[in-house]
Amino acid sequence: MLENLAVRATGEILATTTASGPDIWMLDPVANSPATLVYSFTGYSSVLGIAEMHPNQFYVVAGNLSFSPIVGITPVTGSWSVFHVNLTQFDANGAVTALKIADFPDAVFLNGLCVLSLEQGLVYIADAYAGVINILNVNTGDHHVAINNSLTAVEPPSTNIAGVNGVHVQETNGTLYLYFSNTAQNLLARMPINTDGTPGGDPEVFVPGLFLLDDFTFDSTGDNIFQALIGSNEVVKIDVATREVTLIAGNPDSAELMSVTSVQFGRLSNDSDTVFVTLNGANFTDLTITVPGAVKMLDLGVLA
């Protein structure tokens, strides 16, 4: 089951897997070649959030969970860690180093991860089942819960559906915001933050009524959000200024984007209008694996 992805400056896609293996895979959308195993984490079952802080320097969430029909996801509390994965030598000789940055003994289910500050070495990490957002200093390993409010929380009776899921820092109209999706509450939210990641104001519902949101990204201008809807097998575009929601691709009755989990833009000059998405392949109605996990490419120029 594929979970999250990051696009390298060279154009290749890194994809993480959950339940099916603790792996990072790479594929080249230009060469259309078979996926290459980049790294497998010993002692873990799953890899989730991934983000690049500096060129070829990635930070990823690893932990233990199981997945089964009807029951769904069962995470193991306290099994979660964040690693620094260095791909500097990967293209030359296939060498990859992975260094554990920190364990999270109190975490229930770490999921989405995003860069908060390059200068300070800070990342946000969502604990989806605890309903809180952590800050980790990747230089020191220090971490703490930074954000915990009614919009990050898991609301009963959704005890086995993620609360806060995807996280992304973006400046909008001169204000630094943390945008975050809440799967159980079916909403995208945002709140002003300070440069150290502490709350700078109250959270607000940015867009309500989207069915089971997962991860998301912004376009290069910051004017639009592209959101994966794992529950309805769709990718939608949200205009940040008007909050208007437009369907980009997918259909609740189609397996084309079955359980789409994350969205990222291409980084090459010829794919800047392309978004790549990961599918975990599970039917959200009965949680059976309907199609194989996959990475798909959506050409916005064709879809417009």
Side-chain angles (χ1 to χ4, degrees):
M1 298 171 63
L2 295 188
E3 166 60 22
N4 214 311
L5 80 161
V7 181
R8 302 179 67 200
T10 49
E12 294 99 344
I13 298 164
L14 300 176
T16 64
T17 60
T18 62
S20 59
D23 304 326
I24 301 174
W25 292 84
M26 188 179 77
L27 60 150
D28 186 339
V30 176
N32 195 26
S33 56
T36 300
L37 179 63
V38 172
Y39 196 83
S40 186
F41 293 84
T42 302
Y44 299 89
S45 70
S46 303
V47 185
L48 290 97
I50 179 170
E52 186 177 26
M53 180 167 280
H54 299 290
N56 282 319
Q57 309 299 315
F58 294 86
Y59 291 86
V60 301
V61 170
N64 292 315
L65 60 81
S66 59
F67 179 87
S68 63
I70 308 303
V71 175
I73 293 173
T74 303
V76 178
T77 299
S79 68
W80 301 92
S81 306
V82 171
F83 285 81
H84 170 210
V85 177
N86 186 341
L87 297 187
T88 302
Q89 298 299 316
F90 180 76
D91 296 321
N93 55 27
V96 178
T97 58
L99 175 67
K100 184 189 290 186
I101 299 300
D103 291 318
F104 286 71
D106 298 323
V108 183
F109 179 23
L110 295 187
N111 194 333
L113 181 153
C114 74
V115 175
L116 165 59
S117 171
L118 294 175
E119 295 76 15
Q120 300 177 72
L122 301 178
V123 296
Y124 275 127
I125 309 166
D127 190 333
Y129 277 22
V132 301
I133 302 173
N134 299 275
I135 287 179
L136 167 66
N137 185 319
V138 301
N139 298 320
T140 66
D142 294 334
H143 58 84
H144 63 277
V145 172
I147 296 173
N148 180 6
N149 58 57
S150 62
L151 296 185
T152 61
V154 180
E155 289 191 341
S158 302
T159 54
N160 65 339
I161 299 179
V164 61
N165 193 326
V167 287
H168 195 102
V169 173
Q170 184 74 22
E171 184 175 315
T172 303
N173 297 326
T175 299
L176 190 65
Y177 286 99
L178 171 63
Y179 289 79
F180 57 92
S181 58
N182 188 307
T183 307
Q185 295 191 44
N186 296 314
L187 60 84
L188 181 68
R190 74 175 183 182
M191 67 181 299
I193 56 171
N194 301 311
T195 54
D196 64 355
T198 55
D202 295 329
E204 64 167 326
V205 176
F206 193 67
V207 178
L210 298 175
F211 186 44
L212 299 181
L213 304 82
D214 206 306
D215 214 341
F216 63 95
T217 194
F218 281 76
D219 61 16
S220 60
T221 64
D223 293 333
N224 297 287
I225 297 166
F226 287 75
Q227 172 72 62
L229 301 181
I230 190 172
S232 59
N233 308 327
E234 296 173 319
V235 173
V236 297
K237 179 178 74 172
I238 302 167
D239 185 300
V240 174
T242 66
R243 308 193 187 192
E244 179 183 1
V245 179
T246 304
L247 176 65
I248 295 300
N251 187 306
D253 299 320
S254 169
E256 175 194 6
L257 296 181
M258 179 62 72
S259 290
V260 57
T261 55
S262 60
V263 187
Q264 289 290 336
F265 273 85
R267 296 178 62 182
L268 301 178
S269 59
N270 62 353
D271 65 5
S272 58
D273 286 333
T274 298
V275 291
F276 298 98
V277 300
T278 46
L279 317 180
N280 77 17
N283 185 324
F284 217 89
T285 302
D286 58 12
L287 300 178
T288 57
I289 303 299
T290 303
V291 299
V295 175
K296 290 196 172 183
M297 180 173 64
L298 307 177
D299 187 336
L300 300 183
V302 173
L303 294 171

